[in-house]
Amino acid sequence: MPTSAADTRFKHPQTNRELESNPVTYGNIKQFPLASDVAAEAAHSAVATLGDAIARHGRAVWVLAGGSSPMAAYRILGTDYVSSVDWSKVTVLIGDERSVPVDHPDSNWGQIAPALFDNPAFTEMEQLRPASELDAEEAARLYANVVAALPTTASGAPRLDLVWLGVGEDGHTLSLFPGHPDFRPVEELVIPVYDSPKPPPTRITLTLKALDGAQNTVIFATGAGKRDSLTAALSEGALPIAVVAAHVVANGGSVDWLFDEAASSR
């Protein structure tokens, strides 16, 4: 496991004097030299988090993310950690999905499959794939029912033991885009997203409400192309990735930002 060059609790003090004594907290920042080190750390910590959840609750719930760094982490899990967790006691779902069939090149689930689902070591995982081939409204409604049926926390929120999140170059996460009308507080657990600024235009996504019960969240913050948005997210707090992180922390969950040096502005 790589050793981080930095591991700090990041707080953004508000300009409003009344809030200065209680700054917004975005979680822990951990920096590594390379994106491959981030993937190794994510895989290592996933084993610990999922194993702890199984010990506590009998099962663990893991929200997956697409992207190159998570994909590298899935491959590490499939080679180095196949016997480290009872994978039959792990339930996996996905944070967002494009409205395409699973065999389409744009499908997040389909992209993850070769690294994770097609590995014989993981075939016994409970896989909660959204019906992305359906109309987005119907797919979101059905997936919301799936999320609502998960084990709950003491507050009644779906318990998400481990949530993996990526970050776009615009600061979006899941399919929650800055300035988009669907990036707003809602009571639904899953919503359809139309006219996404990033193709394909139609998707479904977990909402902030769905993350009320997120216990441990890992943000993959890698690549020089994301440096500006990550700097803005942690300095201004308005971009979706920062809003999501602050929401998770405010609801009692932990957040680890795993930076590589290329994405860090220092």
Side-chain angles (χ1 to χ4, degrees):
M1 183 186 72
T3 301
S4 62
D7 186 348
T8 58
R9 190 75 170 166
F10 187 89
K11 296 184 179 182
H12 174 54
Q14 303 295 308
T15 55
N16 186 330
R17 221 172 250 189
E18 293 179 0
L19 298 178
E20 286 180 354
S21 62
N22 186 26
V24 176
T25 303
Y26 296 122
N28 304 302
I29 290 178
K30 301 180 178 181
Q31 185 170 307
F32 302 88
L34 302 172
S36 57
D37 298 320
V38 166
E41 168 63 16
H44 177 84
S45 63
V47 167
T49 299
L50 296 173
D52 181 66
I54 292 169
R56 289 171 177 267
H57 307 292
R59 291 198 66 81
V61 179
W62 180 16
V63 178
L64 307 176
S68 58
S69 291
M71 291 294 290
Y74 299 135
R75 288 190 286 270
I76 292 170
L77 286 168
T79 56
D80 297 351
Y81 295 104
V82 291
S83 301
S84 300
V85 173
D86 184 348
W87 297 105
S88 69
K89 295 181 179 179
V90 176
T91 297
V92 293
L93 61 155
I94 199 160
D96 68 321
E97 182 57 287
R98 291 81 177 265
S99 293
V100 295
V102 70
D103 59 355
H104 191 282
D106 287 333
S107 168
N108 279 332
W109 195 276
Q111 291 173 16
I112 293 170
L116 193 67
F117 307 132
D118 295 346
N119 188 319
F122 302 122
T123 55
E124 293 186 358
M125 289 191 304
E126 182 183 20
Q127 300 176 21
L128 304 180
R129 183 183 76 82
S132 55
E133 65 277 7
L134 301 180
D135 170 80
E137 196 82 33
E138 179 69 1
R141 184 186 67 81
L142 293 174
Y143 213 48
N145 292 338
V146 169
V147 176
L150 292 170
T152 58
T153 65
S155 65
R159 192 191 77 240
L160 309 177
D161 298 299
L162 176 60
V163 179
W164 277 10
L165 295 176
V167 187
E169 293 188 0
D170 59 355
H172 85 268
T173 192
L174 302 170
S175 281
L176 303 174
F177 294 92
H180 193 277
D182 287 323
F183 180 46
R184 66 192 192 284
V186 295
E187 287 302 310
E188 293 86 359
L189 298 174
V190 182
I191 59 171
V193 175
Y194 300 104
D195 298 320
S196 159
K198 183 178 179 181
T202 307
R203 302 146 175 258
I204 67 170
T205 184
L206 297 185
T207 63
L208 283 175
K209 181 69 175 176
L211 300 178
D212 284 358
Q215 304 297 295
N216 303 275
T217 297
V218 170
I219 298 171
F220 291 80
T222 59
K226 299 174 184 178
R227 181 185 299 152
D228 290 346
S229 63
L230 287 164
T231 300
L234 291 174
S235 61
E236 301 167 11
L239 292 178
I241 187 61
V243 174
V244 167
H247 180 85
V248 170
V249 173
N251 281 275
S254 70
V255 176
D256 286 332
W257 300 68
L258 305 186
F259 275 81
D260 66 359
E261 288 183 0
S264 175
S265 66
R266 275 294 182 184

